[in-house]
Amino acid sequence: AAARLSIEGGMPMGGAGALQPIRRTPGGGRRRIRCDTRAAMSSRRPGAPTLGRLAIAGILVYVALDVALVFLRPHFSVLHNAESDYGSAGSYAWVMDLNFLLRGAFSLAVARALMLAGDGRERTASVAHGGLIVWALASGALAFFPDDPVGSPTHGLGKVHLALAFIAFAAVIVGTIAGSRATPTQPLLRSRATVLAALAYAALVPVLLLGHAHLRPNSLGGLYEKLFLAIELAWLFVVSWPIASQRACERVPAVAAA
């Protein structure tokens, strides 16, 4: 028999309810194919899988640009200079500014993807979303306040940059730890719970070492900062992967009387 369309929940054809194609089964019953409402509306806004893929692509581009800056501005030390020093006044500073904006964008994508893929009623998950959003906004704002390189006097814009960086680092620590604690209740991320928790807590080691060494000439503060960022980026990558890999529409069998 020809397929018929049923609208779940009694919603009108143009409403927000999900359309369910109904096909007759050999036993005389009917099988419904249920699509998530968000997936059905994907033509209007990106869904969680799309945002996850965009986040992964953004992270990879971000890392590539960071590596490129090491060669574009070789007078800065990987061990002693902060990542932000690559955005200080001089040639190719715009590349680091672009990277700050990119970091803000893909971090927002991760936060939104987690909101769509998980249960927003979970308090710990809400804390994670909030932390990641603050981290994203502060990261993007860094592009507009160039820092003063390690060893040079800190001026007005440089002080704003340091304040934003502190807010961003604190927020991502809170966001990733809370996100890791929420993963056991999220079916999509449950299998990654151990890895995410390990990364979230491992990031505390380099940031504590950074707090002890500080960003100053001949210290290893630059290395500790980069290790901290690398671990947090790894967390964002790992949490985005299962979201990016999920299918937008899941088939759910249901049998009804003929």
Side-chain angles (χ1 to χ4, degrees):
R4 294 185 298 164
L5 290 179
S6 169
I7 304 175
E8 185 178 27
M11 294 294 294
M13 184 75 66
L19 294 180
Q20 300 181 38
I22 303 178
R23 295 182 174 87
R24 293 191 176 277
T25 61
R30 290 177 294 177
R31 182 176 58 190
R32 298 180 180 179
I33 301 175
R34 182 177 302 164
C35 294
D36 187 88
T37 303
R38 299 187 187 100
M41 298 176 65
S42 61
S43 59
R44 304 183 199 176
R45 65 186 68 174
T50 300
L51 290 170
R53 295 182 195 109
L54 289 174
I56 289 173
I59 292 170
L60 295 177
V61 173
Y62 180 91
V63 172
L65 290 177
D66 254 10
V67 173
L69 280 167
V70 173
F71 299 97
L72 292 174
R73 307 195 75 176
H75 53 287
F76 289 126
S77 170
V78 174
L79 299 179
H80 309 308
N81 284 97
E83 180 196 43
S84 297
D85 289 352
Y86 292 100
S88 59
S91 58
Y92 300 108
W94 62 270
V95 179
M96 191 64 242
D97 293 338
L98 178 64
N99 236 13
F100 283 135
L101 294 173
L102 177 60
R103 190 167 88 192
F106 69 65
S107 298
L108 283 176
V110 174
R112 181 58 179 163
L114 286 171
M115 291 179 190
L116 294 176
D119 184 356
R121 296 170 297 178
E122 181 73 29
R123 182 176 180 181
T124 308
S126 298
V127 173
H129 303 156
L132 293 178
I133 290 172
V134 173
W135 146 263
L137 296 177
S139 294
L142 290 173
F144 304 98
F145 301 93
D147 87 323
D148 298 300
V150 171
S152 62
T154 303
H155 300 94
L157 293 179
K159 292 179 180 178
V160 176
H161 186 99
L162 290 176
L164 288 171
F166 177 83
I167 292 171
F169 282 23
V172 76
I173 289 172
V174 171
T176 54
I177 290 178
S180 300
R181 292 173 63 89
T183 49
T185 65
Q186 307 294 331
L188 188 62
L189 302 173
R190 191 173 296 143
S191 62
R192 306 314 202 272
T194 302
V195 175
L196 290 172
L199 289 171
Y201 287 103
L204 295 175
V205 176
V207 81
L208 290 174
L209 290 173
L210 172 61
H212 176 73
H214 300 290
L215 288 168
R216 57 192 177 198
N218 302 320
S219 79
L220 293 177
L223 174 63
Y224 298 144
E225 183 216 30
K226 293 176 182 64
L227 287 175
F228 169 76
L229 290 172
I231 294 172
E232 297 295 10
L233 290 178
W235 192 96
L236 295 174
F237 186 94
V238 171
V239 83
S240 298
W241 187 265
I243 298 175
S245 303
Q246 73 172 333
R247 299 174 62 180
C249 184
E250 182 182 1
R251 175 173 291 187
V252 181
V255 178

